């Protein structure tokens, strides 16, 4: 929706770098609806945890197509290193963003009621050859992993971030090693 915009006008996504040098987002998180937030907030949580400057907003492919193009067209200039895009159903958002920018797009299929997110997954993952969208698992795990993937991309040129990511992995290793199994349940009599 473009409240307050005149005909032919689209939202601008410019950042005044002189005024906000420390807040320049490196990762953009976009989603087709506020109803995707339950899923997509898992990406934002990871970015916050790793201290990655980011912004998050609703950019609907079918309801805000001009805004979607403006977002994608300005992404590189705004300094975005990757865009995490989540959508559900006939999920065009990640693919159409990728069509309008060379900034890597990481797609998150949002779980839907009708088809459990398989519709979203197929819409995002089946990009024809030439314009890729890196596609993650359906739902919150996919959102978190997309953010972890973005962190790994940034860590490639940032040794401190790489250490943080390695520590995050090591924590999971320790947690898995500490796992124990309960005793076998006794079989009831038939
Ligand atoms: C998609 O349609 C969104 O990504 C969302 O997953 C789905 C439903 O949107 P709402 O009807 O909840 O706004 O564009």
């Amino acid at each position: 929706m473009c409240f307050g915009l005149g005909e032919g006008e689209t939202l601008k996504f410019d950042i005044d770098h002189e005024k906000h040098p420390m807040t320049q987002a490196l990762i953009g998180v976009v989603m087709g609806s506020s109803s995707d937030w339950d899923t997509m907030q898992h990406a934002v949580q990871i970015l916050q945890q790793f201290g990655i400057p980011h912004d998050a907003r609703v950019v609907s492919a079918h309801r805000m197509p001009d805004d979607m193009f403006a977002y994608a067209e300005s992404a590189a200039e705004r300094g975005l290193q990757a865009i995490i895009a989540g959508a559900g159903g006939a999920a065009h958002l990640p693919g159409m963003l990728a069509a309008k920018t060379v900034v890597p797009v990481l797609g998150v299929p949002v779980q839907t009621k009708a088809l459990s997110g398989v519709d979203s997954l197929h819409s995002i993952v089946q990009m024809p050859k030439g314009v890729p969208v890196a596609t993650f698992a359906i739902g919150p795990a996919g959102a978190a992993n997309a953010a972890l993937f973005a962190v790994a991309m940034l860590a490639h040129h940032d040794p401190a971030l790489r250490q943080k990511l390695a520590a995050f992995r090591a924590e999971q290793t320790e947690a898995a090693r500490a796992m124990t199994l309960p005793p076998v349940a006794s079989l009831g009599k038939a």
Side-chain angles (χ1 to χ4, degrees):
M1 286 174 286
C2 310
F3 295 119
L5 295 178
E7 200 179 338
E9 282 183 314
T10 57
L11 288 180
K12 297 276 186 290
F13 295 100
D14 300 333
I15 288 178
D16 184 335
H17 296 298
E18 280 186 4
K19 274 192 193 160
H20 308 288
M22 301 306 289
T23 57
Q24 184 188 336
L26 292 179
I27 305 297
V29 181
V30 290
M31 60 212 80
S33 170
S34 58
S35 66
D36 297 330
W37 179 240
D38 277 355
T39 299
M40 297 308 292
Q41 67 177 319
H42 293 271
V44 173
Q45 278 167 359
I46 293 286
L47 297 175
Q48 283 179 348
Q49 190 176 338
F50 281 89
I52 308 295
H54 60 277
D55 62 34
R57 67 185 75 209
V58 172
V59 181
S60 169
H62 64 288
R63 291 173 286 199
M64 304 160 59
D66 296 336
D67 300 348
M68 173 185 63
F69 281 173
Y71 183 95
E73 282 169 345
S74 62
E77 195 185 319
R78 286 183 289 124
L80 292 184
Q81 303 296 301
I83 299 168
I84 298 172
H92 301 306
L93 179 63
M96 290 309 293
L97 287 169
K100 293 291 270 185
T101 182
V102 292
V103 172
V105 176
L106 316 183
V108 179
V110 170
Q111 189 156 5
T112 53
K113 284 199 183 112
L115 296 171
S116 296
V118 173
D119 44 352
S120 323
L121 173 65
H122 288 175
S123 300
I124 296 172
V125 78
Q126 284 301 111
M127 282 298 285
K129 182 181 176 184
V131 180
V133 170
T135 308
F136 291 82
I138 297 168
N145 276 348
L148 285 166
F149 194 88
V151 170
M153 288 169 69
L154 297 174
H156 198 56
H157 301 288
D158 182 339
L161 190 57
R162 194 156 59 230
Q163 266 189 347
K164 254 181 159 175
L165 188 55
F168 179 87
R169 292 283 187 92
E171 262 178 46
Q172 292 181 79
T173 302
E174 287 314 308
R177 282 184 181 145
M179 285 176 186
T180 57
L181 299 175
V184 175
S186 57
L187 295 175
K189 285 184 184 165

